[in-house]
Amino acid sequence: MDFPEELKYSKEHMWVRLEGDRAVIGITDYAQAELGNISSVELPEPGDELEQDDSFGSIEARKTVAELYAPLSGTVLEVNSELSNAPEFINDDPYDAGWLVVLEVPDAEEMNLLMAADVYEDYVTNGE
């Protein structure tokens, strides 16, 4: 299981990489392993407004559909359009090719509500 230290994590198994006032967001290595082979992804549209902890899409895997919850509030700037044809990128490379959305984040203070890598690793290793 991979827990990159430069990222922040939510209890809903989302990761965030802050790049100035932009946040790249995806699901964690732990989440993709739990879901199994991902077959499709439903993502918001650029321009959509997201509120922290609100559902913004879903991921369908072999026997389940999982809701995606926004780890931060913001405006969707980009979605990973590659995932419509190749959702397996999420399984193969959840922290790079498998990213989901990029948000413009007006309040980076929300990052303080997310977990550091070691805290998230403990969260998934020792039970939620």
Side-chain angles (χ1 to χ4, degrees):
M1 214 58 52
D2 194 16
F3 305 95
E5 291 197 15
E6 70 276 11
L7 305 177
K8 293 284 195 163
Y9 301 86
S10 74
K11 289 182 178 182
E12 290 77 24
H13 309 290
M14 305 297 292
W15 59 262
V16 178
R17 179 174 55 244
L18 203 57
E19 299 174 348
D21 65 349
R22 297 165 50 107
V24 181
I25 296 169
I27 68 165
T28 65
D29 191 25
Y30 171 83
Q32 71 78 24
E34 289 291 305
L35 287 168
N37 292 334
I38 294 169
S39 57
S40 68
V41 182
E42 183 181 311
L43 296 173
E45 297 291 325
D48 285 356
E49 296 289 329
L50 304 182
E51 291 295 321
Q52 188 174 38
D53 298 325
D54 283 355
S55 174
F56 71 89
S58 62
I59 289 184
E60 186 172 340
R62 190 172 191 203
K63 294 183 180 180
T64 189
V65 175
E67 290 292 315
L68 299 170
Y69 294 95
L72 300 173
S73 301
T75 304
V76 177
L77 296 176
E78 298 176 51
V79 297
N80 189 344
S81 59
E82 297 291 321
L83 298 178
S84 60
N85 295 322
E88 67 272 10
F89 286 168
I90 297 169
N91 292 118
D92 297 340
D93 192 4
Y95 298 117
D96 194 17
W99 64 274
L100 301 175
V101 297
V102 176
L103 298 182
E104 181 178 39
V105 180
D107 185 7
E109 290 295 313
E110 288 182 349
M111 288 287 285
N112 296 329
L113 301 173
L114 302 175
M115 293 179 268
D118 59 336
V119 175
Y120 178 70
E121 183 174 6
D122 185 59
Y123 175 72
V124 298
T125 304
N126 297 317
E128 301 178 37

